[in-house]
Amino acid sequence: MTYRPLADEIRPQTLDEVVGQQHILGENGLLRRIIQGGNIPNLVFYGPSGTGKTTVANLIAKRTHRPLHRLNATTASISDIKDIIGEIGTMLAPDGVLLYLDEIQYFNKKQQQSLLEFMENGKITLIASTTENPYFYVYNAVLSRSTVFEFKPLSAADVLPAIERGIRLMGERLEGEVVCEDGVQTHIAAACGGDVRKAMNAVELLLNSAKREQGKLLVTLADAQTVAQRSAMRYDREGDDHFDIASALMKSLRGSDPDAALHYLARLLEAGDLITAIRRLLCSASEDVGMAYPQAALIVKACVDNALQLGLPEARLPLAQAAVLLATAPKSNSVYRGIAAAQADVRAGKTGDYPRHLQNVHADSAGMEREQGYLYPHDFPNHWVKQKYLPDILAGTQYYIYGENKTEQAARRYWEEIKGRE
């Protein structure tokens, strides 16, 4: 008997059996209505692995009764596309073909362009899938001829029915009654990270290795925890998840939520991505805390240095300390806004000449020395004297605005008192 992976055997045969994706496949979902109508446009399915993209493509093929060709962009070439195009109009595919192109982001521009003519005349109906944002990775001309549907990660509750069904199928396959300890199914559902394929692989491995006693297959929670460990992690250092987790960490720090900050930090550390965690923490110290608590930058840098010396797993402690400090510190983005405004002016060409008294005296040519007129602030009371610093074109421009926090307001009052005396 030919071996068939459980993940393939349990693949849904109808739209009603597809787990999750109610926003597009529910009773009134647009994709469901398109499939039921039978007039299938070019489609791009975008979402994590194991969320039903390939399954829905198979169901569409059954609905349209058109030959289905599958290509994986990681291994396919233009010659593979030409072979498929060669069938069009023959007895093999008189009405065209349905092409399921998995991981389309790995096709270069030339490979994607080779499909355009046949997508245009309807001889090829393309269903492309990708785990990355198609608006970044799919050629614009292909996108303009396609409809994009996002497949969202599945919840543990979505995956649980598939796990129960997989356990029943494995029991039938192995001809034994399956007895699972409490918590086995829910642990697999939670640990698979919304990936049905991962869940089915875990179920298959657990049942194939289960102890058999008196005709019963015994599945322990300890075995389930071993099989499913770390499988909930969705992370690719080159993919969307990398940027999403980094963004979520930064926004949690900015939003003063230490619990969320620790959660996203933990996800980065579990993936072994120490550098991304460090960069976000260092950036937040100046961008989000800034002048409200200037010492935060020093403390975070010390925590980062400790983490780099310790390495993982101990590095998690100083980095967690830095995350909690930043999340609970007072916030000010006055530094961020100030430099952003200054850069905007520079990019717009608002620069002008340096005031003469700010120039480097050694820059003058021999015999052309001129009196600068620079006033040395330390020679004056309170180490300040009124003089012009900005170029004439920017006279009176204010980039830095004191934040509404104790530290910056104290500085504001200090300088207003000194400068107000002039």
Side-chain angles (χ1 to χ4, degrees), residues 214-231:
Q214 298 178 345
K216 295 181 178 181
L217 298 166
L218 307 180
V219 181
T220 67
L221 180 58
D223 285 345
Q225 290 170 337
T226 300
V227 166
Q229 62 181 342
R230 295 176 71 113
S231 65

PDB file of all heavy atoms in Angstrom, residues 214-231:
ATOM      1  N   GLN A 214      -3.127  -3.707  24.936  1.00  0.00           N
ATOM      2  CA  GLN A 214      -4.424  -4.381  24.807  1.00  0.00           C
ATOM      3  C   GLN A 214      -5.257  -3.774  23.671  1.00  0.00           C
ATOM      4  O   GLN A 214      -6.441  -3.489  23.812  1.00  0.00           O
ATOM      5  CB  GLN A 214      -5.197  -4.302  26.132  1.00  0.00           C
ATOM      6  CG  GLN A 214      -4.480  -4.996  27.278  1.00  0.00           C
ATOM      7  CD  GLN A 214      -5.227  -4.862  28.596  1.00  0.00           C
ATOM      8  OE1 GLN A 214      -6.134  -4.041  28.734  1.00  0.00           O
ATOM      9  NE2 GLN A 214      -4.851  -5.694  29.569  1.00  0.00           N
ATOM     10  N   GLY A 215      -4.595  -3.553  22.547  1.00  0.00           N
ATOM     11  CA  GLY A 215      -5.290  -3.044  21.369  1.00  0.00           C
ATOM     12  C   GLY A 215      -5.538  -1.542  21.380  1.00  0.00           C
ATOM     13  O   GLY A 215      -6.145  -1.015  20.446  1.00  0.00           O
ATOM     14  N   LYS A 216      -5.078  -0.864  22.428  1.00  0.00           N
ATOM     15  CA  LYS A 216      -5.284   0.582  22.524  1.00  0.00           C
ATOM     16  C   LYS A 216      -3.976   1.319  22.260  1.00  0.00           C
ATOM     17  O   LYS A 216      -2.906   0.880  22.686  1.00  0.00           O
ATOM     18  CB  LYS A 216      -5.826   0.952  23.901  1.00  0.00           C
ATOM     19  CG  LYS A 216      -7.211   0.385  24.185  1.00  0.00           C
ATOM     20  CD  LYS A 216      -7.705   0.817  25.561  1.00  0.00           C
ATOM     21  CE  LYS A 216      -9.109   0.283  25.832  1.00  0.00           C
ATOM     22  NZ  LYS A 216      -9.615   0.705  27.162  1.00  0.00           N
ATOM     23  N   LEU A 217      -4.092   2.444  21.575  1.00  0.00           N
ATOM     24  CA  LEU A 217      -2.930   3.297  21.298  1.00  0.00           C
ATOM     25  C   LEU A 217      -2.936   4.433  22.319  1.00  0.00           C
ATOM     26  O   LEU A 217      -3.855   5.258  22.338  1.00  0.00           O
ATOM     27  CB  LEU A 217      -3.013   3.861  19.873  1.00  0.00           C
ATOM     28  CG  LEU A 217      -2.997   2.809  18.755  1.00  0.00           C
ATOM     29  CD1 LEU A 217      -3.413   3.420  17.431  1.00  0.00           C
ATOM     30  CD2 LEU A 217      -1.599   2.193  18.637  1.00  0.00           C
ATOM     31  N   LEU A 218      -1.904   4.481  23.164  1.00  0.00           N
ATOM     32  CA  LEU A 218      -1.853   5.442  24.262  1.00  0.00           C
ATOM     33  C   LEU A 218      -0.984   6.638  23.879  1.00  0.00           C
ATOM     34  O   LEU A 218       0.196   6.484  23.561  1.00  0.00           O
ATOM     35  CB  LEU A 218      -1.302   4.767  25.520  1.00  0.00           C
ATOM     36  CG  LEU A 218      -2.001   3.470  25.953  1.00  0.00           C
ATOM     37  CD1 LEU A 218      -1.341   2.904  27.211  1.00  0.00           C
ATOM     38  CD2 LEU A 218      -3.492   3.727  26.196  1.00  0.00           C
ATOM     39  N   VAL A 219      -1.574   7.817  23.927  1.00  0.00           N
ATOM     40  CA  VAL A 219      -0.856   9.055  23.576  1.00  0.00           C
ATOM     41  C   VAL A 219      -0.753   9.911  24.838  1.00  0.00           C
ATOM     42  O   VAL A 219      -1.761  10.288  25.429  1.00  0.00           O
ATOM     43  CB  VAL A 219      -1.590   9.838  22.471  1.00  0.00           C
ATOM     44  CG1 VAL A 219      -0.807  11.113  22.119  1.00  0.00           C
ATOM     45  CG2 VAL A 219      -1.776   8.968  21.235  1.00  0.00           C
ATOM     46  N   THR A 220       0.478  10.188  25.247  1.00  0.00           N
ATOM     47  CA  THR A 220       0.672  10.967  26.472  1.00  0.00           C
ATOM     48  C   THR A 220       0.875  12.450  26.163  1.00  0.00           C
ATOM     49  O   THR A 220       1.338  12.826  25.074  1.00  0.00           O
ATOM     50  CB  THR A 220       1.900  10.452  27.256  1.00  0.00           C
ATOM     51  OG1 THR A 220       3.089  10.736  26.492  1.00  0.00           O
ATOM     52  CG2 THR A 220       1.797   8.954  27.504  1.00  0.00           C
ATOM     53  N   LEU A 221       0.559  13.258  27.156  1.00  0.00           N
ATOM     54  CA  LEU A 221       0.758  14.700  27.011  1.00  0.00           C
ATOM     55  C   LEU A 221       2.237  15.025  26.883  1.00  0.00           C
ATOM     56  O   LEU A 221       2.630  15.923  26.129  1.00  0.00           O
ATOM     57  CB  LEU A 221       0.142  15.436  28.203  1.00  0.00           C
ATOM     58  CG  LEU A 221       0.277  16.965  28.206  1.00  0.00           C
ATOM     59  CD1 LEU A 221      -0.354  17.568  26.955  1.00  0.00           C
ATOM     60  CD2 LEU A 221      -0.368  17.558  29.459  1.00  0.00           C
ATOM     61  N   ALA A 222       3.078  14.276  27.601  1.00  0.00           N
ATOM     62  CA  ALA A 222       4.528  14.509  27.534  1.00  0.00           C
ATOM     63  C   ALA A 222       5.044  14.298  26.108  1.00  0.00           C
ATOM     64  O   ALA A 222       5.865  15.075  25.610  1.00  0.00           O
ATOM     65  CB  ALA A 222       5.252  13.584  28.513  1.00  0.00           C
ATOM     66  N   ASP A 223       4.556  13.245  25.439  1.00  0.00           N
ATOM     67  CA  ASP A 223       4.962  13.005  24.053  1.00  0.00           C
ATOM     68  C   ASP A 223       4.470  14.126  23.142  1.00  0.00           C
ATOM     69  O   ASP A 223       5.188  14.570  22.244  1.00  0.00           O
ATOM     70  CB  ASP A 223       4.414  11.665  23.566  1.00  0.00           C
ATOM     71  CG  ASP A 223       5.179  10.471  24.131  1.00  0.00           C
ATOM     72  OD1 ASP A 223       6.289  10.688  24.665  1.00  0.00           O
ATOM     73  OD2 ASP A 223       4.670   9.340  24.049  1.00  0.00           O
ATOM     74  N   ALA A 224       3.244  14.575  23.376  1.00  0.00           N
ATOM     75  CA  ALA A 224       2.686  15.665  22.561  1.00  0.00           C
ATOM     76  C   ALA A 224       3.506  16.937  22.725  1.00  0.00           C
ATOM     77  O   ALA A 224       3.767  17.663  21.755  1.00  0.00           O
ATOM     78  CB  ALA A 224       1.235  15.921  22.941  1.00  0.00           C
ATOM     79  N   GLN A 225       3.941  17.196  23.956  1.00  0.00           N
ATOM     80  CA  GLN A 225       4.748  18.395  24.207  1.00  0.00           C
ATOM     81  C   GLN A 225       6.107  18.289  23.537  1.00  0.00           C
ATOM     82  O   GLN A 225       6.656  19.279  23.059  1.00  0.00           O
ATOM     83  CB  GLN A 225       4.905  18.600  25.717  1.00  0.00           C
ATOM     84  CG  GLN A 225       3.609  19.010  26.403  1.00  0.00           C
ATOM     85  CD  GLN A 225       3.708  18.968  27.911  1.00  0.00           C
ATOM     86  OE1 GLN A 225       4.555  18.254  28.469  1.00  0.00           O
ATOM     87  NE2 GLN A 225       2.843  19.703  28.591  1.00  0.00           N
ATOM     88  N   THR A 226       6.668  17.081  23.470  1.00  0.00           N
ATOM     89  CA  THR A 226       7.956  16.879  22.818  1.00  0.00           C
ATOM     90  C   THR A 226       7.839  17.057  21.311  1.00  0.00           C
ATOM     91  O   THR A 226       8.650  17.739  20.679  1.00  0.00           O
ATOM     92  CB  THR A 226       8.505  15.483  23.128  1.00  0.00           C
ATOM     93  OG1 THR A 226       8.661  15.340  24.535  1.00  0.00           O
ATOM     94  CG2 THR A 226       9.841  15.265  22.421  1.00  0.00           C
ATOM     95  N   VAL A 227       6.808  16.475  20.734  1.00  0.00           N
ATOM     96  CA  VAL A 227       6.628  16.528  19.281  1.00  0.00           C
ATOM     97  C   VAL A 227       6.316  17.938  18.804  1.00  0.00           C
ATOM     98  O   VAL A 227       6.815  18.385  17.772  1.00  0.00           O
ATOM     99  CB  VAL A 227       5.484  15.569  18.858  1.00  0.00           C
ATOM    100  CG1 VAL A 227       5.050  15.848  17.426  1.00  0.00           C
ATOM    101  CG2 VAL A 227       5.942  14.126  18.994  1.00  0.00           C
ATOM    102  N   ALA A 228       5.517  18.662  19.563  1.00  0.00           N
ATOM    103  CA  ALA A 228       5.036  19.964  19.111  1.00  0.00           C
ATOM    104  C   ALA A 228       5.859  21.139  19.622  1.00  0.00           C
ATOM    105  O   ALA A 228       5.479  22.279  19.435  1.00  0.00           O
ATOM    106  CB  ALA A 228       3.571  20.145  19.543  1.00  0.00           C
ATOM    107  N   GLN A 229       6.975  20.866  20.303  1.00  0.00           N
ATOM    108  CA  GLN A 229       7.735  21.970  20.893  1.00  0.00           C
ATOM    109  C   GLN A 229       8.239  22.921  19.813  1.00  0.00           C
ATOM    110  O   GLN A 229       8.687  22.511  18.767  1.00  0.00           O
ATOM    111  CB  GLN A 229       8.920  21.446  21.701  1.00  0.00           C
ATOM    112  CG  GLN A 229       9.955  20.672  20.902  1.00  0.00           C
ATOM    113  CD  GLN A 229      11.075  20.158  21.787  1.00  0.00           C
ATOM    114  OE1 GLN A 229      11.254  20.633  22.896  1.00  0.00           O
ATOM    115  NE2 GLN A 229      11.813  19.181  21.281  1.00  0.00           N
ATOM    116  N   ARG A 230       8.090  24.217  20.098  1.00  0.00           N
ATOM    117  CA  ARG A 230       8.543  25.320  19.252  1.00  0.00           C
ATOM    118  C   ARG A 230       7.878  25.357  17.890  1.00  0.00           C
ATOM    119  O   ARG A 230       8.195  26.227  17.068  1.00  0.00           O
ATOM    120  CB  ARG A 230      10.064  25.281  19.054  1.00  0.00           C
ATOM    121  CG  ARG A 230      10.852  25.498  20.327  1.00  0.00           C
ATOM    122  CD  ARG A 230      12.325  25.352  20.054  1.00  0.00           C
ATOM    123  NE  ARG A 230      12.789  26.508  19.259  1.00  0.00           N
ATOM    124  CZ  ARG A 230      13.625  27.411  19.713  1.00  0.00           C
ATOM    125  NH1 ARG A 230      14.095  27.323  20.932  1.00  0.00           N
ATOM    126  NH2 ARG A 230      14.010  28.416  18.958  1.00  0.00           N
ATOM    127  N   SER A 231       6.955  24.442  17.609  1.00  0.00           N
ATOM    128  CA  SER A 231       6.361  24.448  16.271  1.00  0.00           C
ATOM    129  C   SER A 231       5.396  25.596  16.063  1.00  0.00           C
ATOM    130  O   SER A 231       4.998  25.878  14.944  1.00  0.00           O
ATOM    131  CB  SER A 231       5.640  23.120  16.000  1.00  0.00           C
ATOM    132  OG  SER A 231       4.543  22.964  16.880  1.00  0.00           O
TER     133      SER A 231
END
